[in-house]
Amino acid sequence: MRESNNVSVTIVIPVKNGGSYFSELCIQIKKQDFIGSVEVICVDSGSTDGSKHVAKKNGFRVIEINPSDFGHGKTRNMGASQGSGKYIVFLTHDAIPANSNWLTELIKPLETDPMV
């Protein structure tokens, strides 16, 4: 990812035992051709498969919660509240971006169209 200070994005990913899908997701996030700053916050709810290590190895922030504290909306809101990005992007641990322009194309209308 290319760095600049003009756009900031926080990606929030709830994770529990994401396995190979999560590993691939991390690789694809790192490959994004995005001009801006990106922080990734993974909210892990009890992984036992090394997902926390994979996230940390990729430079992502990991917030650990008890599995009993997980709730789809509650967990995402908690992750978003910890972010500093102008925009918040939510992914699941098995949602693999289709290409290296995914994040740029997602954010572009928000930056270019004042009606959005």
Side-chain angles (χ1 to χ4, degrees), residues 56-76:
K56 290 177 182 177
K57 184 178 89 173
N58 281 283
F60 301 163
R61 183 173 164 199
V62 176
I63 299 170
E64 296 182 55
I65 62 171
N66 289 321
S68 61
D69 292 332
F70 176 82
H72 288 284
K74 180 171 100 172
T75 300
R76 285 170 175 79

Side-chain angles (χ1 to χ4, degrees), residues 19 22-24 26 49-60:
F22 181 62
S23 294
E24 182 63 23
C26 293
D49 69 343
S51 290
K52 291 179 284 193
H53 173 72
V54 170
K56 290 177 182 177
K57 184 178 89 173
N58 281 283
F60 301 163

Side-chain angles (χ1 to χ4, degrees), residues 33-61:
D33 187 21
F34 181 75
I35 299 175
S37 63
V38 177
E39 70 177 333
V40 181
I41 299 174
C42 299
V43 184
D44 188 274
S45 57
S47 289
T48 58
D49 69 343
S51 290
K52 291 179 284 193
H53 173 72
V54 170
K56 290 177 182 177
K57 184 178 89 173
N58 281 283
F60 301 163
R61 183 173 164 199

Side-chain angles (χ1 to χ4, degrees), residues 7 9 34 86-87 89 101-116:
V7 179
V9 174
F34 181 75
K86 178 179 179 182
Y87 301 108
V89 173
N101 294 317
W102 159 80
L103 189 56
T104 297
E105 294 302 315
L106 182 66
I107 299 301
K108 187 188 315 182
L110 303 173
E111 284 290 295
T112 58
D113 186 346
M115 296 300 290
V116 175

